[in-house]
């Protein structure tokens, strides 16, 4: 209802149209009774013509106001859906990485699409139909009681039984609709994973396996729908039975009253029409019960996301980072991912001075990526603190913190649009000359210029059509264009050849002057050029120094150089002569 409030005038117009349309429906049987009794029965053709004209007028008015009600209610509901989609998308943008680590993309997409649509349909159609049903229900009951209270009570005696069936129906369908939306989310997850991993599926000839996964998820959805259909098929026949029983009572008792002269034929006809108007909103309520249950289940799923806690957010009184010199310190940092018992980092401490390039090395699972994720506050430390220029990153506004950092991932994400748009993603107002300068620095200009449309070339989903090295160079250009004081490279040149990597490194050497940089290294040349090398093992800093020092003092570093880094031919003798791993730094 809060989301409907901005569209209250439109919704009010729809409500007025609905009320007029409902009142016109209530007037129809009375006009028909007058036409039958004073026109047809009395053989007065003028009354017949007048009653017909009135019925046509009532029908026309009901149609006009019914159209206005339908149009305005749809406008209001689409506005609600628009705001709901924006609200949940905005919340998804702000939710912490820890939430996205556990959430499945397909299920989140179902909430933004299908669940929003279920709520929209109820707000646009169901809510007003609920009001209309109540108006018709009360209005018809009052008219029936005024026309003949004995006959009305007999006809209304079936209503409690109908509502009892409806109550049981509502209790049974609500959990069913929640299960259907969950099954739909599971189906969308399988579909999303299959489409995103199409190359892997084809490479392993796993099409039959994926078809079976989809069939299982699809069958689960169908089975839930079949269970729901069983509830419908057992409830509504009972409702129709009781409604027909009410009609039978009207003809039986009303016919007897006509025979003894207590009622006219027209009055019985009108009475039966009013009974239909009374039973019709009950049927509407039955359908609305299903719609309300489904919308309620969907709304619950929507607000599960919208009410989720944002773990990483601005503290009260968060300050702007301002001018950055680039001194970054890890002070006894501990970190554990949500839901995990074992910590990833344990007492990590080191300092990167302004202008230093720090290479981070370690075995798989040693915590390298976690270290660089804590600098822009993708996660918050469990204990200890990370500081930039002496400021705890948790005391800084997220916008100012992240604007000061340029980040290039190993598997960079490109968005649908032109290459220029992707490079200028962090600075949409950048000029063509600035975009080209960043591309040249990232060694991307030559291959971009060779494309038929150059910088205007459209990039497919996730950068399809470009090689891994081309995507990495575009991502490097994107990071350089924002001119950050802190740069983070998560193995960002792993997909380029040695010559291109050499050119990128030479260009970066000039660009990194005065900037602090962190590099997760996979090449020996990267480690050699670093001002400082941090070696991690099982979440702890086990070595800290420059390349030559670590070769002489750290067995773990020598082991990493020998087994992991590319281009280590000239270090083989040194690595072989190093002390055993048990005697590491």
């Amino acid at each position: 209802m809060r989301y409907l409030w901005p569209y209250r005038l439109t919704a009010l117009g729809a409500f007025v149209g609905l009320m007029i349309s409902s009142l016109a429906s209530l007037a129809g049987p009375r006009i028909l009774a007058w036409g039958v009794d004073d026109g047809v029965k009395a053989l007065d053709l003028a009354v017949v013509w007048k009653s017909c004209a009135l019925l046509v007028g009532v029908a026309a008015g009901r149609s006009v106001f019914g159209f206005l009600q339908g149009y305005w209610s749809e406008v209001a509901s689409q506005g609600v859906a628009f705001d709901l989609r924006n609200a949940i998308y905005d919340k998804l943008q702000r939710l912490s990485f820890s939430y996205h680590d556990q959430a499945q993309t397909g299920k989140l997409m179902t909430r933004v699409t299908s669940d929003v649509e279920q709520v929209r349909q109820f707000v646009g159609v169901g809510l007003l139909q609920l009001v209309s049903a109540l108006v018709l229900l009360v209005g018809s009951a009052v008219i029936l009681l005024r026309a003949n209270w004995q006959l009305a009570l007999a006809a209304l005696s079936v209503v409690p039984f109908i509502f009892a069936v409806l109550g049981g129906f509502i209790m049974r369908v609500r959990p069913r609709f929640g299960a259907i939306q969950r099954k739909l989310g599971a189906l969308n997850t399988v579909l999303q994973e299959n489409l995103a991993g199409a190359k892997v599926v084809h490479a392993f000839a796993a099409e039959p396996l994926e078809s079976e996964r989809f069939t299982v998820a699809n069958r689960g959805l169908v089975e839930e729908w079949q269970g729901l259909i069983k509830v419908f098929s057992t409830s509504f026949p009972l409702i129709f039975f009781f409604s027909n029983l009410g009609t039978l009572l009207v003809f039986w008792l009303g016919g007897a009253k006509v025979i003894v002269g207590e009622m006219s034929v027209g009055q019985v006809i009108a009475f039966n029409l009013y009974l239909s108007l009374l039973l019709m909103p009950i049927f509407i309520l039955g359908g609305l019960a299903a719609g309300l249950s489904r919308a309620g289940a969907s709304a619950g799923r929507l607000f599960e996301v919208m009410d989720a806690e944002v773990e990483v957010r601005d503290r009260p009184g968060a300050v702007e980072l301002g001018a950055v010199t680039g001194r970054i310190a890890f002070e006894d940092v501990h970190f554990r991912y949500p839901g995990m018992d074992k910590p990833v980092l344990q007492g990590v401490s080191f300092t990167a001075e302004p202008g230093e390039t720090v290479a981070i090395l370690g075995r798989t699972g040693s915590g390298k990526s976690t270290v660089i994720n804590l600098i822009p506050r993708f996660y918050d430390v469990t204990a200890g603190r990370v500081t930039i220029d002496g400021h705890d990153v948790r005391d800084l506004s997220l916008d100012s913190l992240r604007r000061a950092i340029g980040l290039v991932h190993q598997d960079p994400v490109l968005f649908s649009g032109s290459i220029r748009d992707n490079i200028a993603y962090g600075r949409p107002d950048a000029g063509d000359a600035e975009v080209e300068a960043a591309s040249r620095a990232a060694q991307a200009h030559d291959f971009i210029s060779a494309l038929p449309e150059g910088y205007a070339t459209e990039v497919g989903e996730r950068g399809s059509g470009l090689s891994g090295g081309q995507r990495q160079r575009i991502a490097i250009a994107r990071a350089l264009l924002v001119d950050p004081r802190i740069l983070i490279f998560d193995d960002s040149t792993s997909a380029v050849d040695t010559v291109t990597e050499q050119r990128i490194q030479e260009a970066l050497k000039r660009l990194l002057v005065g900037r602090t940089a962190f590099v997760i290294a996979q090449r020996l040349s990267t480690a050699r050029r670093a001002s400082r090398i941090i070696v991690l093992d099982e979440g702890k800093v086990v070595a800290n120094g420059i390349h030559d020092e670590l070769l002489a003092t750290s067995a773990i570093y020598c082991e990493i150089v020998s087994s992991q880094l590319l281009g280590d031919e000239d270090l083989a003798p040194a690595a072989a002569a190093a002390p055993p791993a048990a005697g590491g730094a």
Side-chain angles (χ1 to χ4, degrees):
M1 295 305 298
R2 175 164 54 90
Y3 284 90
L4 184 61
W5 180 250
Y7 307 95
R8 56 190 177 278
L9 294 180
T10 305
L12 180 61
F15 176 75
V16 171
L18 173 66
M19 292 298 293
I20 295 175
S21 179
S22 299
L23 292 174
S25 298
L26 292 174
R30 179 61 61 89
I31 296 172
L32 182 62
W34 172 61
V36 169
D37 288 338
D38 295 353
V40 176
K41 190 175 179 180
L43 303 179
D44 188 339
L45 190 58
V47 172
V48 172
W49 280 111
K50 289 178 182 178
S51 61
C52 288
L54 285 173
L55 287 173
V56 170
V58 167
R62 187 170 62 235
S63 299
V64 169
F65 286 100
F67 164 77
L68 293 175
Q69 174 261 315
Y71 177 77
W72 284 332
S73 64
E74 191 68 18
V75 169
S77 72
Q78 290 292 349
V80 170
F82 175 83
D83 291 340
L84 270 175
R85 282 191 291 265
N86 277 347
I88 192 171
Y89 185 80
D90 179 66
K91 185 58 178 283
L92 288 172
Q93 295 290 300
R94 292 184 293 108
L95 281 171
S96 308
F97 275 56
S98 57
Y99 181 89
H100 291 287
D101 288 342
Q102 302 175 54
Q104 293 179 310
T105 303
K107 293 182 178 180
L108 292 178
M109 291 175 64
T110 301
R111 300 191 188 203
V112 178
T113 54
S114 178
D115 285 321
V116 168
E117 180 62 16
Q118 298 307 321
V119 174
R120 184 201 69 78
Q121 288 182 358
F122 181 76
V123 170
V125 180
L127 192 60
L128 288 175
Q129 282 188 342
L130 176 62
V131 175
S132 174
L134 293 176
V135 170
L136 288 175
L137 186 65
V138 174
S140 300
V142 169
I143 292 174
L144 287 174
L145 289 169
R146 291 188 62 186
N148 191 300
W149 66 270
Q150 299 101 328
L151 189 57
L153 290 178
L156 293 174
S157 64
V158 301
V159 173
F161 297 99
I162 294 176
F163 276 112
V165 175
L166 281 178
F169 172 75
I170 293 172
M171 295 293 291
R172 295 165 66 190
V173 298
R174 176 65 182 267
R176 288 282 184 181
F177 278 122
I180 285 173
Q181 293 302 105
R182 287 192 295 273
K183 294 290 186 181
L184 181 60
L187 183 72
N188 284 338
T189 296
V190 174
L191 178 62
Q192 185 269 334
E193 289 177 347
N194 185 272
L195 295 176
K199 291 181 180 178
V200 177
V201 173
H202 293 312
F204 286 88
E207 292 89 347
L209 174 63
E210 289 301 316
S211 294
E212 178 62 24
R213 283 184 66 210
F214 189 83
T215 299
V216 169
N218 200 10
R219 185 181 296 116
L221 179 62
V222 170
E223 288 173 353
E224 288 296 340
W225 270 110
Q226 289 175 339
L228 181 66
I229 291 169
K230 289 179 182 178
V231 178
F232 273 91
S233 61
T234 55
S235 300
F236 278 87
L238 277 175
I239 294 174
F240 284 118
F241 169 77
F242 287 119
S243 66
N244 289 330
L245 187 61
T247 302
L248 175 64
L249 289 173
V250 168
F251 274 106
W252 177 34
L253 299 176
K257 288 183 178 293
V258 169
I259 291 172
V260 298
E262 293 182 6
M263 291 183 70
S264 67
V265 174
Q267 287 176 323
V268 174
I269 293 174
F271 200 98
N272 191 57
L273 288 175
Y274 278 120
L275 179 62
S276 299
L277 288 177
L278 176 73
L279 295 175
M280 183 175 67
I282 295 177
F283 297 147
I284 293 174
L285 289 174
L288 288 176
L292 176 60
S293 296
R294 189 169 191 181
S298 292
R301 286 162 51 84
L302 285 175
F303 282 96
E304 280 179 9
V305 177
M306 295 169 69
D307 294 339
E309 182 182 358
V310 180
E311 296 178 359
V312 177
R313 56 185 172 184
D314 286 342
R315 285 180 170 178
V319 299
E320 296 292 311
L321 180 55
V324 180
T325 61
R327 187 179 190 275
I328 300 174
F330 277 64
E331 302 174 3
D332 193 28
V333 170
H334 296 253
F335 179 77
R336 182 178 62 251
Y337 285 103
M340 295 182 63
D341 297 329
K342 185 178 179 181
V344 179
L345 299 180
Q346 305 177 64
V348 171
S349 297
F350 66 85
T351 301
E353 298 296 340
E356 279 193 335
T357 296
V358 178
I360 302 177
L361 283 77
R363 299 185 180 100
T364 301
S366 60
K368 302 185 297 295
S369 295
T370 302
V371 166
I372 64 173
N373 283 333
L374 294 177
I375 300 172
R377 278 193 76 196
F378 291 157
Y379 302 90
D380 274 338
V381 299
T382 305
R385 67 176 193 158
V386 178
T387 67
I388 296 180
D389 295 344
H391 300 285
D392 190 324
V393 293
R394 292 170 294 184
D395 294 330
L396 301 171
S397 69
L398 283 172
D399 284 346
S400 67
L401 170 65
R402 293 173 181 174
R403 279 198 303 266
I405 299 172
L407 179 61
V408 184
H409 290 284
Q410 179 180 6
D411 184 18
V413 174
L414 301 184
F415 298 94
S416 298
S418 69
I419 289 179
R420 187 202 183 283
D421 290 342
N422 273 277
I423 294 174
Y425 186 76
R427 278 189 58 201
D429 59 341
D432 291 342
E434 295 174 293
V435 171
E436 182 177 327
S439 300
R440 288 184 182 278
Q443 298 296 308
H445 176 73
D446 290 344
F447 89 79
I448 295 174
S449 299
L451 296 172
E453 298 182 56
Y455 284 86
T457 301
E458 290 291 315
V459 175
E461 184 178 6
R462 296 184 60 85
S464 61
L466 298 175
S467 70
Q470 289 172 335
R471 291 198 301 271
Q472 284 188 334
R473 280 177 275 172
I474 289 174
I476 292 172
R478 178 170 61 191
L480 295 176
L481 184 61
V482 298
D483 192 27
R485 306 309 300 170
I486 301 166
L487 280 167
I488 298 174
F489 298 96
D490 184 358
D491 192 18
S492 56
T493 58
S494 61
V496 302
D497 59 81
T498 305
V499 174
T500 302
E501 198 261 351
Q502 176 72 21
R503 291 175 181 170
I504 293 174
Q505 292 292 351
E506 289 299 324
L508 289 177
K509 187 176 181 180
R510 297 189 298 272
L511 290 167
L512 289 178
V513 175
R515 305 175 199 267
T516 306
F518 287 84
V519 183
I520 293 182
Q522 290 291 344
R523 293 186 186 274
L524 177 58
S525 57
T526 303
R528 277 177 161 175
R529 289 189 182 92
S531 310
R532 181 191 305 272
I533 300 171
I534 304 294
V535 182
L536 297 175
D537 189 51
E538 296 184 354
K540 299 177 181 178
V541 176
V542 295
N544 184 345
I546 62 174
H547 173 71
D548 292 335
E549 292 175 350
L550 296 183
L551 276 180
T553 61
S554 174
I556 292 179
Y557 180 70
C558 291
E559 179 185 331
I560 292 171
V561 167
S562 299
S563 62
Q564 296 184 23
L565 297 191
L566 303 175
D568 57 354
E569 298 85 356
D570 56 337
L571 283 186

